[in-house]
Amino acid sequence: MKPTKGEPPDQYTITYSMTGLQQTAEGDVVESEKHIIELSIPFGFPHFPPSCKPKSEIFHPDFDPAAICLGDAWEQNATLANVILYIGKMINGEIFSAKNAFNDEAATWYKKHSNRFPLNKITWGGESGLRSGRSDDQIDILNEDDLKSDFDLTLDDEVDDSPESTFSSTNSEEHEDIDLLRQLKFQKRFNELLRKLRTISHSSEELAELKEVADQEIQKCKSLYREAKNLENLGSAAKALKRFEVVQNTVSDYPSIEADIKRVKQTLELLSDLDPDQFDGPHQLPEMEKGVSDKAQKKKKDTQEEQPLKKPRHRDSFFDSTEKKSKLFSGVLITLGVCAVGAIGLYYSYTGSILNQSQQYFNQCEASMKSSQFKQAKQFCENSRQLLDQIFLFHQAQRSAIRTGTDSILLSEELRNGLEGKILFEGMYLSKQQVDNFKKIKSLVDEANALFKEKKWEKASEKYTLLQEKSTNIKTFSPELLTTIEENKFICQFQIAIESADRFISEEQWHLAIGSLTHTQSLLAGLPEDERAIYKEKLKSALNRCKFEISLKNADNAFNRGNWQDAIISYEACLDIAHSYSAIKPSQLQKISNTIERSKLYLIIERGNKAFSQGLWNEAIDAYAEASTALASNQTLLDEAKIDINRKKLGKIILQASIIRDKQTVKSQLENSELHEAGKLYNQILKSIEGSKFSRDEDFIKAKEEIHSTLEDLNQKIYISEKEDYLRANFQTLFLSNYPAAVRDNLTQPVISYVKEVAGKLLFRMQCTEKRIGSRPLTLVMFYAYDKTNGQWELSTEGQQ
């Protein structure tokens, strides 16, 4: 990249050493390894994109000898380095337009050979602010930076006056002492251990290990507990008891395990009393009953061994039948009795479990009362009473004792006042705040008054606010003190608002200052009338200043972003505010007016750029002409020399736009075979270049050479077209002169085509169709030549050879 013009440089030459494409004079597309681009920094940069054009032959849909189309790839935060990388990707074939291309032939070729791209394997770096692809054209616009605003174009960061704070709820047990967790593990109270661990937010290796041990032990017991329940349901109470006891020994606080063990033991006691022989074997009984079972089994065995074997006696008599029925009836009664006793035992066990749970709730209630956790105490006592309501028949003495205890707590004055947040103070239940107020009111009054005298308004206001919160107590202490507190607090608030506004203004935080000033205005009614009038004028002036500064910052920010319309609106708002704010200097107002005119100029140029990118050439030319007129008519925008330079550049842009417009029109005329019209328009382009101030400009000299070369070919086509028109108009006469037997009206469908030029003669092939009645039509062909030296036509045999 090499600077070539301007101080500081506003024009650069960039050389790309990479594979790209060129088109030879014969129309062949070949690879080339060196490409040169000229980049110009425009007027209003970076609000407007740089203009680029190739200085070497480059075959690409978006490359024209006069310009490279970047489209909308340029963004406000892009850099020249981004543009250079972007053009490199275009040369590499990574980016090209399939529609609305500068070079339609190249667009067709690129689409057909898209598998060849990219031409180079390159990893591009430093890309930001440019979007791939393009849609429209760009132009070379003014490159002066003289129209920068004289004001500070940066906007202070907005202050967020409503910050959000997020507080996570913290369980009161989160900070449990690690020793307590270890104790729970030692006591095998793993369920409680897990509950404690869930409330702890921090983590450590020891906590993780405790959790793992608790999970393992609880999972192990779940399986044993299910087995015990199944055995109990199948009637194997002793086996179930052993498993329940293993569960209790493993996890001491396993849910309802104590009630389960007690229930099964009661069942075993009832069954043992009824019939010890009903057990599956000695192993089913608890340890304390094994001895009894073993003795009974041994005695039964010895008796069986002493008695000789007897053959079974068959009884068919009436008495045998009666005996059988009697035994059957007795068995049924025994079975029913056993079931009834079992049911009573189960109920007794169930109510005992409920009673134990109720006792636990009552114990927790008492503990909560001791630690002043009144809400928890109330809940535990109510839970205990609900369980007691489910117990009938059994355990009445224990039930009555627990019920008396819960009622005593629930109806106690301590609980009632505790739930209201009150404590016993000098024989009365009072809130802690009330107690503190009694002690601190006098101290607070002294502190507040001292701060007020020292003009420490914020601290004094805080003290007075605290005193107002204790108004009930103050009324009994000193009713007239409340009036003094309210008056002093108002003065504090008014002074705080004024100081806050002054601070925000000094820090140029204009939005916050307006908020503070508006709040101060709302307090004016509380001031004496003479002071109110003075402060009212001061606040009005300060508000106007803040509004002016905000509008100015908004305008400068919009100007800096290239939002010309918003900038104009905001700058004009500044002028409106200045009518009621006399403190603004005339020089500052003049700068604002000048910047408005600059914004309007940019807006006109932007309209021209947009029209240019959309191919609306006349609109673009009109906009650029309007910008040139604005520069000429407003001498305050730039000095005279710079105005002339920039008007010259605008004139060049206008000429370039008109040439592109007319070239596109010529292209359409040639496609429609409007050769004469195309020739006239080419000559008109040449005249416009020759009649301009840029006829000796390198770009336009090259454009004239191209148009002259194109005109020569076009004139030749027009010349040949005129001869073809002559032959086409006179084909019947010419054919009759050589085919006398033909009939004029039967000669139709003439086809005239130029063949070549031989020895100063233009050779044409003529063909027509001769209709014949009753036979197939004939095709007649002959060759005619035009002698350019004497302007004569003659029959030729050259084409027949």
Side-chain angles (χ1 to χ4, degrees):
M1 181 173 175
K2 179 180 179 182
T4 56
K5 183 179 178 182
E7 184 60 41
D10 59 6
Q11 190 176 90
Y12 299 86
T13 298
I14 300 100
T15 302
Y16 294 85
S17 298
M18 57 185 292
T19 302
L21 298 177
Q22 289 184 352
Q23 189 174 36
T24 64
E26 293 77 20
D28 298 328
V29 178
V30 298
E31 293 184 352
S32 58
E33 300 300 327
K34 186 176 181 180
H35 316 279
I36 301 174
I37 303 296
E38 182 181 273
L39 183 147
S40 298
I41 299 175
F43 172 69
F45 179 88
H47 304 304
F48 301 112
S51 61
C52 307
K53 58 183 175 182
K55 302 299 288 184
S56 62
E57 294 291 337
I58 299 177
F59 186 67
H60 190 279
D62 300 316
F63 281 58
D64 185 83
I68 298 173
C69 191
L70 297 177
D72 60 354
W74 175 262
E75 289 184 352
Q76 191 69 28
N77 60 345
T79 64
L80 295 181
N82 299 137
V83 177
I84 295 170
L85 288 174
Y86 187 80
I87 294 175
K89 296 177 76 173
M90 296 172 77
I91 295 173
N92 199 32
E94 297 177 43
I95 301 172
F96 62 87
S97 297
K99 298 180 180 179
N100 301 321
F102 272 179
N103 188 331
D104 291 335
E105 182 183 359
T108 302
W109 194 94
Y110 269 60
K111 286 189 289 185
K112 184 177 180 180
H113 300 85
S114 60
N115 60 325
R116 289 187 56 177
F117 302 111
L119 300 172
N120 308 270
K121 294 183 178 180
I122 300 176
T123 301
W124 304 95
E127 296 178 273
S128 66
L130 285 176
R131 297 188 294 271
S132 297
R134 62 156 288 269
S135 58
D136 301 306
D137 301 289
Q138 295 292 335
I139 62 171
D140 181 17
I141 57 179
L142 305 183
N143 62 358
E144 300 299 326
D145 58 359
D146 302 78
L147 299 190
K148 289 183 179 178
S149 172
D150 295 307
F151 310 119
D152 182 11
L153 301 183
T154 60
L155 183 65
D156 289 344
D157 292 336
E158 295 293 338
V159 178
D160 184 5
D161 56 2
S162 59
E164 295 182 0
S165 299
T166 303
F167 297 94
S168 58
S169 61
T170 306
N171 191 292
S172 61
E173 298 176 342
E174 180 174 341
H175 305 290
E176 285 286 346
D177 189 86
I178 191 66
D179 291 335
L180 174 61
L181 301 178
R182 294 168 181 159
Q183 185 66 21
L184 292 175
K185 177 186 176 184
F186 177 76
Q187 296 174 357
K188 300 183 179 181
R189 293 162 61 186
F190 293 114
N191 278 293
E192 185 175 355
L193 175 60
L194 283 181
R195 285 196 298 272
K196 297 288 185 184
L197 288 170
R198 292 191 194 101
T199 63
I200 298 177
S201 59
H202 62 279
S203 60
S204 67
E205 292 184 3
E206 185 172 4
L207 292 178
E209 182 180 352
L210 287 172
K211 183 179 183 304
E212 183 179 359
V213 171
D215 285 333
Q216 291 176 352
E217 295 301 315
I218 290 173
Q219 290 300 323
K220 186 192 304 180
C221 287
K222 283 183 179 179
S223 176
L224 284 171
Y225 186 81
R226 284 195 296 269
E227 290 181 15
K229 293 293 288 186
N230 290 334
L231 290 169
E232 183 182 6
N233 294 333
L234 294 173
S236 299
K239 293 180 180 179
L241 176 60
K242 287 187 176 183
R243 282 164 176 76
F244 280 136
E245 289 174 340
V246 172
V247 170
Q248 186 181 41
N249 292 333
T250 306
V251 180
S252 62
D253 63 343
Y254 197 89
S256 73
I257 191 62
E258 293 182 357
D260 291 325
I261 292 174
K262 187 174 183 179
R263 182 184 64 252
V264 176
K265 283 184 176 180
Q266 290 173 346
T267 301
L268 287 171
E269 289 175 2
L270 290 171
L271 293 176
S272 177
D273 292 340
L274 289 172
D275 187 1
D277 295 335
Q278 294 298 321
F279 295 106
D280 297 334
H283 62 278
Q284 279 191 305
L285 291 173
E287 290 296 329
M288 62 182 179
E289 298 177 358
K290 273 190 177 182
V292 177
S293 178
D294 291 341
K295 291 177 181 179
Q297 291 292 331
K298 184 177 180 181
K299 182 178 181 180
K300 183 176 181 180
K301 183 177 180 182
D302 293 341
T303 304
Q304 289 176 348
E305 290 177 354
E306 291 175 359
Q307 294 178 354
L309 292 176
K310 297 181 180 180
K311 293 183 180 180
R313 188 162 51 94
H314 181 70
R315 295 182 181 180
D316 293 326
S317 67
F318 169 78
F319 298 101
D320 292 336
S321 175
T322 302
E323 184 180 356
K324 289 180 179 179
K325 290 180 180 181
S326 176
K327 288 183 178 181
L328 179 60
F329 181 71
S330 299
V332 171
L333 289 177
I334 291 172
T335 303
L336 292 174
V338 170
C339 292
V341 171
I344 293 171
L346 290 174
Y347 179 72
Y348 182 86
S349 175
Y350 169 71
T351 54
S353 175
I354 293 176
L355 185 67
N356 289 337
Q357 185 63 45
S358 176
Q359 180 67 49
Q360 290 178 13
Y361 278 133
F362 177 68
N363 294 341
Q364 290 173 317
C365 176
E366 289 183 319
S368 298
M369 285 294 292
K370 290 180 181 179
S371 60
S372 298
Q373 298 178 357
F374 299 106
K375 290 184 179 179
Q376 294 183 7
K378 180 182 177 183
Q379 185 63 52
F380 284 135
C381 279
E382 288 178 346
N383 290 344
S384 178
R385 288 183 60 180
Q386 289 175 1
L387 291 175
L388 292 175
D389 291 339
Q390 301 178 30
I391 300 174
F392 304 98
L393 299 179
F394 302 110
H395 315 296
Q396 291 303 306
Q398 294 172 283
R399 175 180 178 275
S400 178
I402 297 173
R403 182 63 175 262
T404 300
T406 57
D407 289 346
S408 175
I409 292 176
L410 290 172
L411 298 175
S412 67
E413 186 178 9
E414 181 184 2
L415 179 61
R416 184 177 71 254
N417 285 283
L419 291 172
E420 295 176 1
K422 295 181 180 180
I423 58 177
L424 188 63
F425 179 76
E426 295 184 359
M428 297 182 295
Y429 280 101
L430 300 174
S431 67
K432 187 177 184 301
Q433 187 65 42
Q434 288 176 316
V435 174
D436 291 340
N437 283 343
F438 275 121
K439 295 179 179 179
K440 295 180 180 178
I441 285 175
K442 184 62 173 65
S443 176
L444 279 175
V445 170
D446 294 339
E447 291 178 12
N449 291 338
L451 292 169
F452 185 86
K453 290 179 181 179
E454 296 172 6
K455 296 184 178 181
K456 296 180 179 179
W457 309 115
E458 288 190 9
K459 292 184 178 179
S461 178
E462 291 175 1
K463 299 295 183 182
Y464 288 128
T465 300
L466 289 175
L467 287 169
Q468 283 182 324
E469 292 175 358
K470 306 174 188 299
S471 59
T472 303
N473 292 328
I474 292 175
K475 285 178 182 179
T476 61
F477 178 75
S478 178
E480 67 277 4
L481 183 60
L482 281 178
T483 303
T484 304
I485 290 172
E486 290 174 358
E487 291 175 353
N488 288 354
K489 182 182 177 182
F490 173 80
I491 294 173
C492 290
Q493 290 176 338
F494 187 80
Q495 292 298 332
I496 289 171
I498 290 179
E499 289 182 353
S500 176
D502 289 341
R503 183 175 67 256
F504 289 139
I505 290 173
S506 66
E507 295 173 355
E508 298 185 357
Q509 299 186 38
W510 309 112
H511 286 91
L512 296 178
I514 285 179
S516 185
L517 290 168
T518 303
H519 173 63
T520 307
Q521 281 184 325
S522 68
L523 301 176
L524 284 174
L527 294 177
E529 187 174 351
D530 54 342
E531 293 184 20
R532 189 189 314 155
I534 296 172
Y535 279 111
K536 183 177 181 181
E537 287 302 318
K538 290 182 178 179
L539 292 174
K540 181 180 178 182
S541 177
L543 277 171
N544 284 331
R545 180 188 176 187
C546 293
K547 292 176 181 177
F548 175 83
E549 296 293 347
I550 289 173
S551 294
L552 183 59
K553 277 188 173 291
N554 290 338
D556 291 344
N557 192 37
F559 185 93
N560 190 46
R561 294 196 311 268
N563 296 335
W564 315 120
Q565 191 63 50
D566 291 346
I568 293 170
I569 293 172
S570 296
Y571 282 130
E572 289 177 346
C574 291
L575 297 181
D576 291 339
I577 295 171
H579 294 310
S580 57
Y581 180 45
S582 58
I584 304 175
K585 296 179 180 180
S587 59
Q588 190 176 18
L589 295 178
Q590 184 59 48
K591 290 178 180 179
I592 292 174
S593 298
N594 290 345
T595 310
I596 290 175
E597 295 304 318
R598 291 170 184 157
S599 299
K600 290 179 178 178
L601 176 63
Y602 282 138
L603 190 61
I604 295 170
I605 293 175
E606 184 178 61
R607 188 172 74 245
N609 291 349
K610 184 177 181 180
F612 190 101
S613 66
Q614 295 175 351
L616 304 174
W617 310 115
N618 290 329
E619 292 183 18
I621 291 170
D622 291 343
Y624 296 138
E626 184 180 351
S628 180
T629 302
L631 280 172
S633 61
N634 194 334
Q635 299 297 320
T636 61
L637 292 177
L638 299 170
D639 60 47
E640 185 175 352
K642 290 184 178 180
I643 287 176
D644 290 340
I645 292 172
N646 290 314
R647 289 193 67 203
K648 183 178 179 181
K649 289 188 174 183
L650 283 170
K652 184 177 179 180
I653 296 169
I654 292 172
L655 182 58
Q656 288 175 334
S658 64
I659 291 173
I660 295 174
R661 175 196 63 191
D662 294 341
K663 277 186 174 182
Q664 289 187 353
T665 303
V666 168
K667 182 180 179 181
S668 176
Q669 291 172 338
L670 292 175
E671 290 174 353
N672 295 326
S673 300
E674 299 174 0
L675 303 181
H676 289 282
E677 290 77 2
K680 291 178 182 179
L681 190 52
Y682 266 133
N683 284 309
Q684 183 178 328
I685 294 173
L686 287 174
K687 288 180 181 179
S688 63
I689 295 175
E690 292 292 347
S692 70
K693 301 177 182 179
F694 312 106
S695 58
R696 296 184 180 180
D697 186 279
E698 179 183 352
D699 293 333
F700 293 105
I701 290 174
K702 186 176 180 181
K704 287 191 295 182
E705 291 175 353
E706 291 177 355
I707 292 174
H708 278 300
S709 175
T710 304
L711 268 176
E712 290 179 2
D713 295 339
L714 182 60
N715 289 332
Q716 177 69 9
K717 290 181 180 179
I718 292 173
Y719 186 74
I720 292 173
S721 177
E722 290 174 349
K723 305 309 174 189
E724 289 177 346
D725 291 342
Y726 169 80
L727 294 176
R728 192 175 293 104
N730 298 281
F731 81 96
Q732 292 175 327
T733 301
L734 296 175
F735 270 103
L736 287 174
S737 63
N738 291 281
Y739 294 93
V743 178
R744 177 182 292 272
D745 293 340
N746 290 343
L747 299 177
T748 60
Q749 301 178 358
V751 178
I752 312 299
S753 58
Y754 171 71
V755 179
K756 61 183 177 179
E757 182 177 349
V758 181
K761 294 182 180 181
L762 303 178
L763 182 63
F764 296 87
R765 181 179 183 278
M766 298 181 63
Q767 174 182 317
C768 71
T769 300
E770 181 184 12
K771 296 180 181 179
R772 291 191 170 187
I773 300 174
S775 61
R776 297 176 60 187
L778 293 177
T779 299
L780 306 181
V781 178
M782 65 180 184
F783 290 85
Y784 248 68
Y786 178 78
D787 193 337
K788 295 169 62 177
T789 59
N790 56 23
Q792 299 295 319
W793 289 95
E794 62 184 24
L795 185 67
S796 174
T797 59
E798 183 70 25
Q800 300 175 357
Q801 296 178 356

